[in-house]
Amino acid sequence: MCKPLSDTQEAPLAWLGEIKRWERDIDALALAMSALALGWAAHVENQQQLSSKSLQMYDAALRQLRKDLTNYSPLQSLVVTTVFVVFELCQFGSKGNPGWLTHMKGIAAFLQELGPEKVSSDPYLKVYCFCRVVFVSFTRNLVLTFGDEGSNHPF
């Protein structure tokens, strides 16, 4: 998911590198990215201790985001929540875990509130495109399993 398919395509998470241009001092983002990195390392190395540490970092990122909501722009919440989606999917997978879908619904509501004009430009367009790819990739089996129920989801 993190490697481009060709030299002309951008890696799905590449837009995170551009965040500093749009936002400064996003405390929760550093915590969320650390949780994601530790979670991935725990998965690759099959290390329960790293997995536990990644969950602690994730919890710290959630708490920090709640604190920061009044101090920073809504873009911070959108970006960090998008990282939470990736964390949830990497840590727990898509089956039987509604956490990633709950975050996705929040992202969809945020983008819908912005409206098409705003979402059609960066950084919102990149977040939308990333979430749409993730959603379609991970819900394909849900639609096959549950039929039309899958059409009621956010993307």
Side-chain angles (χ1 to χ4, degrees):
M1 177 187 275
C2 295
K3 292 183 180 179
L5 299 175
S6 73
D7 292 337
T8 60
Q9 291 181 317
E10 189 175 73
L13 291 175
W15 58 270
L16 285 172
E18 300 176 21
I19 295 303
K20 287 294 184 187
R21 279 193 291 153
W22 302 310
E23 293 293 310
R24 305 253 186 270
D25 305 319
I26 302 176
D27 298 330
L29 182 60
L31 290 168
M33 292 299 288
S34 295
L36 179 58
L38 283 172
W40 181 252
H43 173 73
V44 169
E45 298 295 324
N46 197 24
Q47 297 253 342
Q48 185 58 37
Q49 187 177 3
L50 282 178
S51 182
S52 295
K53 185 66 174 166
S54 73
L55 289 170
Q56 291 171 0
M57 294 294 287
Y58 178 73
D59 185 53
L62 285 168
R63 286 192 317 268
Q64 185 65 46
L65 182 59
R66 282 188 206 111
K67 288 180 193 173
D68 292 345
L69 282 175
T70 58
N71 299 328
Y72 296 107
S73 78
L75 179 58
Q76 173 184 348
S77 177
L78 179 67
V79 170
V80 174
T81 303
T82 304
V83 175
F84 289 162
V85 168
V86 179
F87 177 85
E88 292 268 349
L89 288 170
C90 287
Q91 190 73 8
F92 307 112
S94 62
K95 295 180 179 166
N97 173 35
W100 75 276
L101 192 53
T102 301
H103 291 311
M104 273 295 208
K105 287 179 181 179
I107 292 167
F110 180 89
L111 293 172
Q112 188 171 19
E113 186 70 28
L114 287 175
E117 187 174 307
K118 190 120 180 172
V119 175
S120 65
S121 62
D122 287 339
Y124 304 105
L125 180 61
K126 287 186 179 186
V127 171
Y128 171 78
C129 290
F130 170 75
C131 288
R132 181 147 176 87
V133 166
V134 168
F135 183 78
V136 169
S137 297
F138 283 95
T139 58
R140 183 175 36 172
N141 289 335
L142 289 176
V143 173
L144 292 174
T145 304
F146 298 109
D148 290 336
E149 184 181 323
S151 65
N152 295 325
H153 293 297
F155 291 88

